[in-house]
Amino acid sequence: MSSTTRKSTVEAQPLIAVRNVRASGGWYAELFGADSLPEHSHRDVYDRISCSGKLLLQLHAWDKENHPNLVNADAAPPGHGVLLWFQVDDFDSVVQRARGLGTEIIEEPHINPAPQHREIWLRDPDGYVVVVASPDGECGS
């Protein structure tokens, strides 16, 4: 590629199917101290979770609007092989909020030695695995 060729900007905008958009939206908003869309007529079907104007996650109800692959919630385990991974700068606060929500903790806070950051592994209300990590190098010597 020549140095004059401009690369496209790419942003991940993950969307997961959930059983209860309002409940899942509330859980994610509380966990991350984030915002969801203002109240709207489509709220039981779709929500967007954002923090400081940055999109974190989209939520969509199972079996609504005939979208491919958003049907039959019981066809497979939720998110098998997928981790919803979030880097945060307020790790301790997120851990505290996760505990306050009564969230299932899969792995307690620990240091991942390769990136030298802290992680906690959680299960969201629909069974998806959520990993919250502090910035890389945060625990470096």
Side-chain angles (χ1 to χ4, degrees):
M1 179 185 307
S2 81
S3 60
T4 58
T5 304
R6 183 176 135 346
K7 286 189 173 188
S8 298
T9 300
V10 177
E11 283 188 37
Q13 296 187 337
L15 182 146
I16 59 172
V18 298
R19 293 180 189 275
N20 184 322
V21 172
R22 286 181 187 273
S24 292
W27 186 86
Y28 279 99
E30 177 69 22
L31 180 67
F32 292 117
D35 304 309
S36 62
L37 289 171
E39 186 57 39
H40 59 91
S41 61
H42 207 54
R43 173 55 54 77
D44 292 325
V45 176
Y46 178 79
D47 199 3
R48 294 170 68 122
I49 308 302
S50 62
C51 193
S52 301
K54 179 87 170 157
L55 178 65
L56 299 178
L57 186 64
Q58 300 176 82
L59 307 172
H60 198 285
W62 282 107
D63 297 310
K64 303 290 182 193
E65 302 179 322
N66 299 317
H67 291 308
N69 207 42
L70 296 180
V71 296
N72 195 358
D74 299 317
H80 180 71
V82 174
L83 300 174
L84 298 172
W85 195 286
F86 300 92
Q87 178 179 299
V88 299
D89 60 3
D90 61 342
F91 183 83
D92 294 324
S93 296
V94 173
V95 169
Q96 184 177 16
R97 289 192 296 267
R99 292 190 195 287
L101 285 164
T103 299
E104 178 187 348
I105 297 175
I106 300 167
E107 277 193 69
E108 288 287 341
H110 62 279
I111 295 174
N112 183 324
Q116 288 292 301
H117 67 212
R118 294 178 289 162
E119 297 175 4
I120 185 170
W121 291 48
L122 313 168
R123 193 165 310 277
D124 86 353
D126 284 274
Y128 291 98
V129 175
V130 175
V131 181
V132 180
S134 63
D136 285 0
E138 182 238 11
C139 296
S141 39

